[in-house]
Amino acid sequence: MQKIELMAPAGNFESMQAALDNGADSIYFGVEQLNMRARASINFTLEDLQEISDRCNAKNVRTYLTLNTIVYDHDLSIVKTLIQKAKDADITAVIAMDQAVIASARAIGMEVHISTQINITNIETAKFYAMFADTIVLSRELSLRQVKKITEQIEKDDVRGPSGKLLEVEIFGHGALCMAVSGKCYMSLHSHNSSANRGACKQNCRKKYTVIDQETGFEMELDNEYIMSPKDLCTIDFLDEIEDAGIKVLKIEGRGRAPEYVARVIKCYREAIDEIEAGTYTKEKVIGWMQELEKVYNRGFWSGYYLGQKLGEWSKGSGSHATQKKVYLGKGMHYFPKPKIGEFKIEAYDVNVGDTILITGPTTGAKEMKVSEMYVNDLSGEKAQKGDSVTIPLEFRIRPSDKLYKIVENKVEA
């Protein structure tokens, strides 16, 4: 059986490098405004396409350009330009939901993947889109049993995409879940004239609301005030069942997340997929991965709709439940390659020998390590404060654009 392809989110170069360093098989990213994270992430530009392709191809990592928003007539010109530029830069495929985007990509021989926004929930719809695409992302609302039925029927009926290969099925494996059907929601549009379906969701569903009966004025008492804010999806504890369901691509959500989020989540799922392949995937290892995943941004975890449990587990508060957080310390200044030492300028907070630090940057990605020793203003020291110059032994190169953080425990209200 083919090993599951692990697809990582890339909202910027830092996150992309974090994905490459931690074992992603593919990345997906947006350019300019026509993607479902047009506002939530920094997004790349047309000029970045070649660098994205070059850096990923060097590691044999596939690249997917997201063009999966609603498209209007005035968008068609930029759509065609984006797709052509992506093909010229050797980007692997386009993720699409609008038929105009699909047709434009197919017209120039660009590989197409069908977005979850299409809402594919049955084998006949899968067969229809196989005429245009080699990979389909199924609806997020399906159970694993329903998913398996579709993948089995694809094999039985020998359903193939334009490439001639058997149609691949992709599902979401980890990250934020939307209360709306496969993310198609108009709440943000109604409240802020900012369309989620154009990549500009305001996430107002994540707030507290009071529900009042207009006729009687009765105020409903809800068990959870965040009734429209689902917990984050996590599948690492039943990843073996996902592989058994015939899934070929596991997509990690999070183009709006920080690079350390991408690094840790991809690292955990990489290990889990490899352990399944080696036959060494165990409950004990799952517990360790869950503890690691809890350290970065999350709203609490649940299994989504895959296991057929009750529909909806809601977050108990706004924001993150992460057990750790980063605190800004300063910026990179210089790297001395022979002694392998990095120099930083401390601009805030303090850092001590024994602390866990995080270094992020467009080329560095997200590197986390413990400070074993350091020099403060050219003298051996145990503590550096604001204004100090500090040097730390590093096995990797840092650059002036890099940022230095300290990782500290984060107290989360129960």
Side-chain angles (χ1 to χ4, degrees):
M1 184 180 288
Q2 176 188 331
K3 187 190 285 191
I4 294 174
E5 175 185 320
L6 179 59
M7 189 199 300
N12 51 41
F13 278 117
E14 285 93 334
S15 293
M16 186 186 84
Q17 191 61 45
L20 297 179
D21 290 341
N22 286 279
D25 297 307
S26 57
I27 62 140
Y28 66 104
F29 64 96
V31 169
E32 311 294 352
Q33 295 302 305
L34 293 175
N35 69 89
M36 293 304 290
R37 291 295 181 271
R39 185 164 289 177
S41 59
I42 296 170
N43 285 304
F44 296 98
T45 66
L46 279 172
E47 288 70 34
D48 294 326
L49 283 172
Q50 195 61 57
E51 183 177 350
I52 292 167
S53 178
D54 291 345
R55 283 166 66 171
C56 290
N57 284 339
K59 291 210 170 187
N60 199 28
V61 170
R62 289 163 64 85
T63 49
Y64 307 134
L65 170 64
T66 56
L67 270 172
N68 57 343
T69 61
I70 288 174
V71 173
Y72 296 122
D73 278 324
H74 66 263
D75 298 318
L76 293 175
S77 176
I78 185 63
V79 162
K80 291 177 181 179
T81 299
L82 274 172
I83 295 171
Q84 186 61 59
K85 293 282 188 183
K87 184 174 174 61
D88 293 343
D90 197 27
I91 298 300
T92 308
V94 171
I95 301 174
M97 64 89 72
D98 190 284
Q99 285 74 17
V101 179
I102 295 168
S104 295
R106 293 299 308 137
I108 63 168
M110 186 86 181
E111 183 179 327
V112 173
H113 293 186
I114 300 299
S115 170
T116 190
Q117 304 293 117
I118 287 284
N119 220 191
I120 297 175
T121 56
N122 61 73
I123 184 60
E124 293 302 325
T125 306
K127 286 179 180 178
F128 174 82
Y129 283 105
M131 293 189 288
F132 314 100
D134 291 295
T135 302
I136 58 170
V137 189
L138 295 182
S139 170
R140 300 181 197 182
E141 292 72 41
L142 294 178
S143 69
L144 216 49
R145 188 162 66 175
Q146 290 171 309
V147 169
K148 187 174 184 178
K149 187 175 180 180
I150 291 171
T151 61
E152 288 176 342
Q153 202 66 41
I154 286 171
E155 288 202 27
K156 182 180 177 182
D157 295 348
D158 197 33
V159 181
R160 296 179 181 272
S163 68
K165 296 178 183 177
L166 208 63
L167 183 67
E168 289 191 337
V169 168
E170 174 187 324
I171 64 169
F172 278 82
H174 190 94
L177 278 175
C178 181
M179 63 166 290
V181 176
S182 281
K184 294 197 286 287
C185 176
Y186 285 95
M187 188 173 184
S188 178
L189 181 66
H190 288 321
S191 61
H192 294 89
N193 196 30
S194 185
S195 176
N197 303 295
R198 295 274 290 175
C201 180
K202 291 287 191 180
Q203 294 204 344
N204 39 326
C205 58
R206 303 289 185 186
K207 300 175 181 178
K208 287 184 180 182
Y209 287 91
T210 302
V211 181
I212 299 173
D213 185 325
Q214 293 264 335
E215 291 185 8
T216 65
F218 174 72
E219 188 173 308
M220 292 181 67
E221 294 182 8
L222 303 175
D223 290 336
N224 192 318
E225 292 167 322
Y226 292 86
I227 195 67
M228 293 182 288
S229 181
K231 290 181 180 178
D232 285 358
L233 173 65
C234 180
T235 63
I236 206 163
D237 56 336
F238 57 96
L239 208 52
D240 51 343
E241 295 179 54
I242 285 177
E243 184 182 63
D244 183 61
I247 299 307
K248 295 297 187 286
V249 186
L250 191 76
K251 185 174 192 172
I252 306 300
E253 189 276 339
R255 276 184 291 146
R257 299 277 174 256
E260 65 270 18
Y261 173 93
V262 176
R264 193 174 299 271
V265 175
I266 293 302
K267 184 175 186 291
C268 288
Y269 277 86
R270 174 78 279 150
E271 290 175 0
I273 291 170
D274 291 347
E275 296 283 3
I276 290 171
E277 184 77 6
T280 52
Y281 175 87
T282 63
K283 281 184 166 47
E284 290 72 28
K285 288 176 180 176
V286 166
I287 292 170
W289 291 321
M290 290 296 293
Q291 289 172 343
E292 287 299 304
L293 292 170
E294 287 170 352
K295 291 178 180 179
V296 290
Y297 191 101
N298 70 86
R299 297 183 180 91
F301 296 127
W302 73 301
S303 58
Y305 304 98
Y306 292 134
L307 301 183
Q309 297 168 348
K310 64 177 183 177
L311 301 185
E313 288 190 19
W314 312 110
S315 175
K316 297 189 183 301
S318 61
S320 177
H321 294 185
T323 59
Q324 292 184 345
K325 65 180 179 180
K326 64 182 181 184
V327 177
Y328 180 73
L329 292 176
K331 61 186 179 183
M333 298 297 289
H334 189 69
Y335 184 72
F336 302 91
K338 285 189 177 179
K340 295 183 177 179
I341 289 172
E343 180 186 0
F344 298 88
K345 181 72 172 179
I346 304 300
E347 298 179 324
Y349 215 58
D350 58 77
V351 60
N352 301 270
V353 170
D355 285 346
T356 299
I357 58 171
L358 170 72
I359 303 165
T360 68
T363 310
T364 304
K367 299 284 199 306
E368 192 174 304
M369 57 172 285
K370 187 161 284 193
V371 179
S372 58
E373 59 176 310
M374 63 182 177
Y375 273 72
V376 183
N377 301 323
D378 297 326
L379 298 173
S380 179
E382 294 289 316
K383 180 177 183 177
Q385 297 175 308
K386 182 178 178 180
D388 288 339
S389 172
V390 60
T391 53
I392 301 169
L394 295 175
E395 289 297 318
F396 53 90
R397 179 180 293 276
I398 62 160
R399 296 154 184 87
S401 57
D402 288 359
K403 292 183 174 63
L404 175 67
Y405 300 91
K406 180 176 178 177
I407 300 296
V408 299
E409 294 303 306
N410 187 33
K411 293 182 181 179
V412 182
E413 292 184 11

